[in-house]
Amino acid sequence: MSGPRATPPADATPPMRGRFGRWRDQALALGWLVLVWNLLWGAINPANIIGGLLVGGAVLLFFPLPTVSFGGRLRPGALVAFAGRFAVELVSASLHVARIAVQPGYRPRGAIIAVPLRVPTDLNLALTAEAVSLVPGTLILEVDRESATLYLHVLDTHGPADLALSRERTLDVERRIVRAVGSAAELRRVEPDPVEKGNSQ
């Protein structure tokens, strides 16, 4: 009679799956770096895509970041909605900053605000900070990883109402990012009654 067989821990990850997860995370990070590179150049074309791949690959190779796992769910519809809304905001903010730049005698007032995010993961911090900083008129000054807080410099503020609006816009960016790539638990943090397609019983 043989003794009881040892069972692997419940949280044990098969080597192949662990390697696949690391490659998937690296591919997601590279794709995001390529996107940011193209947005910084202001055009998406083959030359910028190749340049983004080279720069992003060099960053991941020579300046490796702590492992950021992706435990969410990709929602194509929400991702397309995020991209469309982001493009509209990018154009609107660019026109606003251009108007300020050419308006004679106008001196815009800036302010620094703190925006605590509701999903304190490294991935959400990075994606939200990148998306917010790409919009003209807003600059990320610091990211407090412990408290999941973004410190932003915002341009052309006239009072508390403008500061509150800037905070709400930042939280709205976070909400749309979580809708696109967040998990169900993260979605519940940013929306009081999230509706997951295909989950209704």
Side-chain angles (χ1 to χ4, degrees), residues 86-136:
F86 180 78
V88 171
E89 291 179 349
L90 195 63
V91 173
S92 176
S94 298
L95 294 175
H96 180 69
V97 172
R99 181 185 63 81
I100 292 174
V102 300
Q103 187 172 350
Y106 182 70
R107 293 185 178 181
R109 295 177 58 186
I112 297 174
I113 61 174
V115 184
L117 300 184
R118 292 157 295 185
V119 178
T121 63
D122 289 340
L123 182 61
N124 183 61
L125 279 170
L127 293 180
T128 305
E130 288 287 354
V132 170
S133 62
L134 285 171
V135 176

Side-chain angles (χ1 to χ4, degrees), residues 50-184:
I50 294 173
L53 288 171
L54 293 175
V55 172
V59 169
L60 294 176
L61 179 63
F62 297 108
F63 304 99
L65 300 174
T67 302
V68 178
S69 60
F70 176 70
R73 171 186 170 188
L74 183 63
R75 303 174 182 86
L79 187 61
V80 171
F82 170 80
R85 177 74 176 274
F86 180 78
V88 171
E89 291 179 349
L90 195 63
V91 173
S92 176
S94 298
L95 294 175
H96 180 69
V97 172
R99 181 185 63 81
I100 292 174
V102 300
Q103 187 172 350
Y106 182 70
R107 293 185 178 181
R109 295 177 58 186
I112 297 174
I113 61 174
V115 184
L117 300 184
R118 292 157 295 185
V119 178
T121 63
D122 289 340
L123 182 61
N124 183 61
L125 279 170
L127 293 180
T128 305
E130 288 287 354
V132 170
S133 62
L134 285 171
V135 176
T138 308
L139 179 65
I140 299 293
L141 299 178
E142 186 178 351
V143 177
D144 188 338
R145 186 180 180 190
E146 295 297 325
S147 63
T149 301
L150 302 180
Y151 292 90
L152 294 76
H153 178 273
V154 291
L155 184 67
D156 197 24
T157 59
H158 301 280
D162 288 336
L163 301 182
L165 181 60
S166 296
R167 290 189 180 93
E168 183 56 37
R169 283 176 176 170
T170 303
L171 293 176
D172 187 58
V173 170
E174 179 195 25
R175 183 183 303 111
R176 286 184 275 123
I177 287 176
V178 172
R179 284 177 181 170
V181 297
S183 65

